[in-house]
Amino acid sequence: MPNAFIEHVNLTVRAPERSAKLLHDLFGWNERWSGPSALGGRTIHVGDDRFYIALYTHDGDATPADTFRKGRPFNHVGIVVDDLDDVERRVEAAGLIPFSHGDYEPGRRFYFLDFDGTEFEIVSYRQAA
């Protein structure tokens, strides 16, 4: 079998700079690239040297609200962190609301919606102290 991994996920957002700042503030990820999109509009790539999330907007046009309903275009983005409580505090400091906390095998988790309604699952497989 090939050794496969996810290199990036491309999300449509209203304000890529705002979304990039959120990802930096929550996870310490940095901008890898930004510029015009081949399809018009612009994109910012935020991540580390292994992967990134592409934050796309089409020339600042408002994206139809229908696009930002849960489950459209997908259910959520899962992010693994070492310190779940620290990231939850950062989510709250950003003015966002954590919900659906779970503590079950194989780890602890919570969810939040970003500024555009994209759902993120934050999970830690580290044993609580």
Side-chain angles (χ1 to χ4, degrees):
M1 293 293 288
N3 182 15
F5 63 95
I6 294 174
E7 180 216 18
H8 75 275
V9 173
N10 190 322
L11 300 177
T12 300
V13 298
R14 292 179 181 96
E17 294 80 6
R18 177 180 66 179
S19 296
K21 181 180 181 329
L22 177 66
L23 295 176
H24 171 75
D25 292 349
L26 296 181
F27 309 120
W29 296 345
N30 293 303
E31 182 177 309
R32 292 176 35 147
W33 177 86
S34 67
S37 168
L39 302 174
R42 64 183 304 271
T43 302
I44 300 175
H45 294 178
V46 179
D48 66 16
D49 60 347
R50 301 165 295 160
F51 66 88
Y52 62 94
I53 294 181
L55 304 166
Y56 169 76
T57 191
H58 185 70
D59 293 328
D61 292 342
T63 304
D66 186 46
T67 301
F68 294 107
R69 277 198 348 246
K70 167 119 173 74
R72 294 185 108 188
F74 56 84
N75 284 317
H76 62 258
V77 176
I79 309 285
V80 176
V81 298
D82 287 333
D83 189 336
L84 192 71
D85 297 326
D86 178 55
V87 174
E88 184 170 6
R89 285 188 293 274
R90 292 169 187 248
V91 166
E92 290 170 337
L96 302 170
I97 301 169
F99 62 91
S100 292
H101 294 75
D103 188 359
Y104 50 88
E105 288 298 325
R108 294 174 51 223
R109 68 200 72 244
F110 71 88
Y111 297 79
F112 74 92
L113 300 175
D114 74 0
F115 301 115
D116 295 298
T118 299
E119 185 176 277
F120 285 81
E121 176 185 3
I122 309 303
V123 62
S124 178
Y125 298 113
R126 190 171 171 197
Q127 295 297 325

